[in-house]
Amino acid sequence: MAGSSAALPTGVVLSGVFATLGGALVARLSWRRGTRMEGFRLLLSLAATVWGVGQLMLGVQLIGGPADFPAAGDIVSMLAAPLAVAGLLRLPRRTAEPQAGLRLGLEALMIGAAGQMVLWRFWFRGPRGVPLDGGDLVALAILSCELLVLALLLVCAVRDTDRGVVVACTGLGTYVAGELLTTHAAPGAVGEHLGWVGAAVSCVVWPVILLGILAVDARPSVTSLRAAPRAELRRSVVTSVAVLLPMMLFMYGLLLDGYADPVSLALGAGVVIGFAGREVVRGRQAHALLDRLAEQAHRDPLTGLGNRRALTSDLDRLRSTGTPAVVLTLDVDRFKEVNGQLGHSAGDAVLVEVARAMDSVCQSAGARSYRLGGDEFAILSRAGLGESRELAERVRHAVRVGAAAVPGLGRIVLTGSVGLAVVKQADGHGSGDPLRALTESIEALRFAKLERNRVWVYDEALAEQARRRATMERRLALAVETRAIEMHFQPIVQLATGRVTGIEALARWRDADLGVVAPDVFIALAEQTGLIHGLGRLALEQSIAMLATPAAAELKVGVNVSPLQLRDPGFVTEVAAILHRYSVEPRRLVLEVTEGIFVDPNDRAVHALRELSALGVVIAIDDFGEGYSSWGYLDRLPADILKIDRRLTGQAGDARTMAVIRAIVDMASALGLDAVVEGVETPAAATSLLAMGAEFAQGWLYSAAVPAAELPAVLRRLRSAQRDLDQPVVAGTRAASGGVVRQHPQAFAVGGDHDVA
Ligand code: C2E
Ligand code: CA
Ligand code: CA
């Protein structure tokens, strides 16, 4: 360093102070943070400190008088270069890019060598044309280091998206470039001015550099796929310009000289090697990027499992290899409730946990899992059907466990339904078509979902059933729409007098293709498919319309309603509207419900029943005595009638059953409910029921359910039979003598030729 005035030493000392103190401070802070990437911060701040100490030494020496180059301070400062290089080379570790450090090094080498060629031709060799002395060689070494650091800083600033890196590298670059100029290129008076400029620059640049170093985010950076190509282009342009400009200058020098010396040739070779090496690395990076893109295209972003595309391509591969396999599909039961009640982020958390639990089970079994979308998953198992079924059970369990790991689900317990289908088995079983197996597996899943928390294996019988069900569903929808469902009516009589007091409406469906379908079958289907609402409306309308005809003038009509209808918010209003339309009093309508809905007193259906009861509509509990009859709740319900199940009446000969029926009849009368005994088929049954005090009855003994058009005739017949009775029986006489009633039930006996199934 050559300079005699006070300016230069002041600048040097100032920058030395800033660099030393700032570097030490940052080093101390980074030490405390202690993350993995702190190496960058630490090495760079140490480099600053070492640099600063060297500058301080130099400054002090300069204050005493001019110093020879290289002074001791210059040598110390030079030691900062390897530290800085080591620090900068750590930066690429934050990215997932392969060989990023190598590429960075090669690019710096390329640019550094190109810059060096210019320095060599125009500064050292060219203008002087004299052999180099020792001082020249040291100067050259220092310059080379500075150039390399400069090149490295340039590339780092361009390639990195982190603001801290960009600020620190740009600041350092500015400083090093200034150093280069002041120390080596500015003799005499210029040097003196630059000394002041250098001092001013130090005051600003060092704090900026150190803040930049502090601000660098040590966590791995995620360069988005969209940003990556743009950053790559910018980097390409800058490095190319940084190599090409000096090269052109150098070639201009060659032109002037007419020959190339060995050092220039060696430097030129350095540039070419750097360039070629970088191209190789870039090719590899592009390859790795494409691999990663392909990988991402086959991955579900939320759960990290393979996606539908991955499954399809794996199934394709399976077809060509023909190895045994089973396809499983899985669906989370009640997942919609989570999404609906707790929001989508809760839903996502469930999916992530379920996927995790499921995947670990699959991995231990050597199977691969996929997410098909929503809450639907698939698994490809290479095991036999037996083992795959076990896997399915374990996966079903894993869904429960995984979902339970999500906090805040409250009362929602999530389970999983699984469908299985064989692609091919070792014994040759299976179609061998993986895509078909996937469809079959989904078909089986549909069945599993009907019951929830189940595993279903696809087979042909199941498929046939599924097809029949699908056809029936279609036909039923059409029947409801075209009002092809017709209500038949069955009389309800007072046992003692034979007087008809009401009718029950029973739905009948005769389909052109399917023939007569039993109500138990199509009602259940309607409930599963939601068609019950349309069907129920039809039933109500036809039944209430019947009451408006003269034949049924005095009667009540019982209409069966499903809990699903009762839970429909518009149901009560709808019933009221239909009654109003036909001008029928509410007390003539009896709604028959099964007791199952009373299990939960908070059920919307129970509220609806209370409202209907308040309107004056009569409520009957249907099928009492079947399944789990509970007596405790009866007095708390809005019920008026108890219908004793026909399956109980069917065994009416049996003494124990008679005791049960008697107990129900007694209880009903104690609670003020009317008891209707269903399924009375024989005079004997009627006789004994009457003897035990049952008041109303219904059954084939009197009439089967008949079409509306035939009801007037049936009612006429029953009335005339009643008139034929020589002696009416007083209702409710429990101890009525057998002699009185023995013959009158026979008076009603007719062949129930309609609908008697
Ligand atoms: P349910 O309400 O218990 O209807 C009485 C069933 O007993 C009817 O069967 C009727 O035909 C049958 N039955 C009548 N007398 C006798 C008899 O003396 N002996 C025997 N063994 N059976 C007799 P059906 O018509 O097959 O209806 C079956 C079930 O389908 C009904 O049972 C009811 O739960 C449901 N259902 C029928 N129509 C409708 C409807 O419009 N809406 C709803 N939600 N359910 C309906
Ligand atoms: Ca009924
Ligand atoms: Ca019943």
Side-chain angles (χ1 to χ4, degrees):
M1 228 164 256
S4 49
S5 89
L8 195 52
T10 316
V12 174
V13 169
L14 258 182
S15 67
V17 169
F18 273 109
T20 311
L21 293 183
L25 183 70
V26 175
R28 177 78 196 88
L29 289 175
S30 332
W31 189 263
R32 248 208 326 243
R33 292 196 195 175
T35 58
R36 231 187 89 225
M37 251 313 292
E38 294 304 336
F40 160 80
R41 237 191 285 276
L42 206 59
L43 284 166
L44 232 61
S45 50
L46 280 181
T49 313
V50 171
W51 170 265
V53 170
Q55 291 303 94
L56 270 175
M57 287 167 65
L58 184 64
V60 170
Q61 198 180 353
L62 284 177
I63 290 168
D68 277 342
F69 183 80
D74 288 317
I75 308 284
V76 172
S77 286
M78 218 176 83
L79 294 177
L83 284 173
V85 170
L88 290 172
L89 284 180
R90 288 182 83 93
L91 271 180
R93 292 205 202 148
R94 292 182 312 145
T95 62
E97 216 177 79
Q99 300 186 325
L102 179 61
R103 177 170 166 192
L104 191 71
L106 286 167
E107 277 172 347
L109 180 74
M110 207 164 88
I111 298 171
Q116 208 118 324
M117 287 167 90
V118 174
L119 276 180
W120 172 249
R121 169 62 185 75
F122 294 97
W123 177 240
F124 285 94
R125 190 193 66 83
R128 302 192 193 172
V130 291
L132 302 178
D133 59 16
D136 284 339
L137 285 178
V138 176
L140 195 60
I142 292 182
L143 273 172
S144 304
C145 289
E146 284 179 339
L147 264 178
L148 188 65
V149 171
L150 203 59
L152 209 52
L153 287 167
L154 177 73
V155 184
C156 286
V158 172
R159 71 171 283 285
D160 217 296
T161 44
D162 186 292
R163 260 192 226 133
V165 172
V166 175
V167 167
C169 291
T170 313
L172 267 173
T174 314
Y175 187 78
V176 175
E179 259 294 311
L180 250 160
L181 284 174
T182 50
T183 316
H184 306 286
V190 186
E192 194 171 308
H193 284 113
L194 283 176
W196 285 113
V197 173
V201 167
S202 295
C203 298
V204 179
V205 171
W206 275 111
V208 171
I209 294 170
L210 294 165
L211 281 177
I213 294 178
L214 264 182
V216 173
D217 191 346
R219 286 168 309 178
S221 76
V222 188
T223 315
S224 76
L225 281 177
R226 262 159 60 86
R230 240 178 300 142
E232 177 66 30
L233 182 66
R234 193 177 55 211
R235 187 174 174 183
S236 245
V237 169
V238 172
T239 47
S240 302
V241 169
V243 172
L244 281 178
L245 274 183
M247 286 293 278
M248 276 155 75
L249 253 173
F250 174 74
M251 273 161 25
Y252 170 68
L254 276 188
L255 219 76
L256 292 183
D257 298 347
Y259 78 100
D261 64 288
V263 176
S264 305
L265 285 179
L267 287 170
V271 174
V272 172
I273 290 169
F275 196 82
R278 184 191 73 162
E279 283 317 295
V280 172
V281 173
R282 270 195 356 170
R284 288 196 178 173
Q285 286 181 335
H287 196 263
L289 182 70
L290 284 179
D291 276 356
R292 216 171 66 207
L293 280 176
E295 153 90 10
Q296 273 178 21
H298 282 79
R299 195 154 286 282
D300 170 52
L302 179 66
T303 60
L305 299 183
N307 59 14
R308 190 180 283 274
R309 201 176 298 166
L311 177 64
T312 316
S313 78
D314 285 357
L315 289 178
D316 262 350
R317 213 167 308 140
L318 202 63
R319 188 204 306 272
S320 52
T321 59
T323 45
V326 175
V327 180
L328 289 77
T329 46
L330 177 141
D331 196 296
V332 181
D333 306 319
R334 303 179 65 192
F335 180 71
K336 278 205 191 81
E337 288 173 42
V338 179
N339 256 357
Q341 294 174 19
L342 305 171
H344 284 260
S345 57
D348 283 356
V350 165
L351 292 177
V352 168
E353 288 304 329
V354 164
R356 200 200 309 267
M358 189 177 98
D359 196 43
S360 83
V361 168
C362 288
Q363 275 181 10
S364 66
R368 197 177 164 197
S369 46
Y370 310 82
R371 177 170 170 230
L372 301 182
D375 61 335
E376 267 181 46
F377 297 87
I379 296 163
L380 194 55
S381 159
R382 308 294 177 119
L385 182 58
E387 271 174 67
S388 299
R389 200 197 272 263
E390 274 167 36
L391 173 65
E393 288 295 346
R394 274 190 291 148
V395 163
R396 188 170 64 83
H397 181 70
V399 170
R400 210 191 180 108
V401 173
V406 178
L409 289 191
R411 297 205 306 165
I412 308 180
V413 175
L414 294 173
T415 50
S417 300
V418 189
L420 268 84
V422 166
V423 180
K424 199 178 181 132
Q425 291 291 279
D427 60 8
H429 187 68
S431 68
D433 180 351
L435 282 177
R436 186 171 144 186
L438 176 62
T439 319
E440 292 171 350
S441 170
I442 292 171
E443 184 83 60
L445 174 63
R446 249 179 21 116
F447 277 84
K449 275 206 81 74
L450 287 180
E451 294 165 57
R452 285 182 181 164
N453 200 14
R454 279 284 312 258
V455 173
W456 265 89
V457 181
Y458 178 89
D459 64 28
E460 257 315 310
L462 190 75
E464 181 51 36
Q465 197 183 329
R467 279 191 285 273
R468 270 212 313 273
R469 195 190 127 97
T471 312
M472 189 179 280
E473 193 179 324
R474 254 195 336 272
R475 306 286 311 178
L476 181 62
L478 188 71
V480 170
E481 200 186 304
T482 58
R483 306 189 147 250
I485 307 271
E486 196 189 316
M487 300 316 285
H488 282 201
F489 299 94
Q490 184 178 37
I492 296 169
V493 302
Q494 192 171 33
L495 264 173
T497 61
R499 186 168 62 88
V500 178
T501 58
I503 47 179
E504 176 177 358
L506 292 157
R508 295 292 177 261
W509 178 30
R510 177 192 289 278
D511 181 79
D513 292 347
L514 304 169
V516 174
V517 184
D520 290 316
V521 174
F522 71 79
I523 296 291
L525 184 63
E527 286 181 332
Q528 284 160 14
T529 54
L531 289 168
I532 192 69
H533 299 285
L535 196 155
R537 199 171 302 130
L538 249 161
L540 275 167
E541 278 172 355
Q542 290 187 22
S543 305
I544 293 172
M546 188 72 225
L547 289 190
T549 62
E554 304 287 290
L555 303 180
K556 294 179 181 200
V557 70
V559 181
N560 296 284
V561 291
S562 152
L564 295 176
Q565 288 172 268
L566 290 167
R567 285 184 199 124
D568 180 9
F571 185 70
V572 177
T573 337
E574 192 179 312
V575 171
I578 301 173
L579 285 168
H580 182 75
R581 191 172 344 135
Y582 290 96
S583 307
V584 168
E585 292 167 273
R587 61 165 191 85
R588 294 180 63 201
L589 175 65
V590 181
L591 293 183
E592 301 192 2
V593 295
T594 48
E595 57 177 333
I597 71 165
F598 297 114
V599 171
D600 178 6
N602 293 318
D603 191 337
R604 228 221 75 89
V606 181
H607 292 297
L609 281 180
R610 287 190 203 285
E611 285 175 47
L612 287 160
S613 182
L615 279 181
V617 172
V618 182
I619 309 296
I621 298 175
D622 208 353
D623 300 348
F624 194 84
E626 209 269 323
Y628 54 96
S629 295
S630 162
W631 307 45
Y633 63 79
L634 280 176
D635 57 335
R636 280 178 280 121
L637 292 179
D640 312 281
I641 296 174
L642 208 59
K643 296 193 76 172
I644 300 172
D645 192 65
R646 62 181 187 277
R647 276 147 291 197
L648 208 58
T649 322
Q651 306 158 26
D654 171 54
R656 286 174 65 91
T657 311
M658 291 309 282
V660 172
I661 296 178
R662 179 187 290 268
I664 298 177
V665 167
D666 282 349
M667 179 196 61
S669 85
L671 292 171
L673 302 174
D674 284 338
V676 178
V677 185
E678 292 185 318
V680 179
E681 296 179 0
T682 61
T687 307
S688 49
L689 288 166
L690 182 62
M692 67 173 67
E695 195 176 357
F696 300 99
Q698 172 183 357
W700 294 340
L701 173 64
Y702 309 100
S703 168
V706 296
E710 292 170 30
L711 184 66
V714 169
L715 292 176
R716 267 198 308 277
R717 176 173 57 70
L718 288 172
R719 279 179 191 137
S720 68
Q722 181 195 354
R723 269 196 307 277
D724 289 350
L725 276 178
D726 32 341
Q727 208 183 338
V729 178
V730 183
T733 43
R734 187 159 306 157
S737 76
V740 180
V741 289
R742 190 169 300 128
Q743 54 167 197
H744 99 245
Q746 274 148 354
F748 305 102
V750 283
D753 38 40
H754 305 282
D755 304 294
V756 179

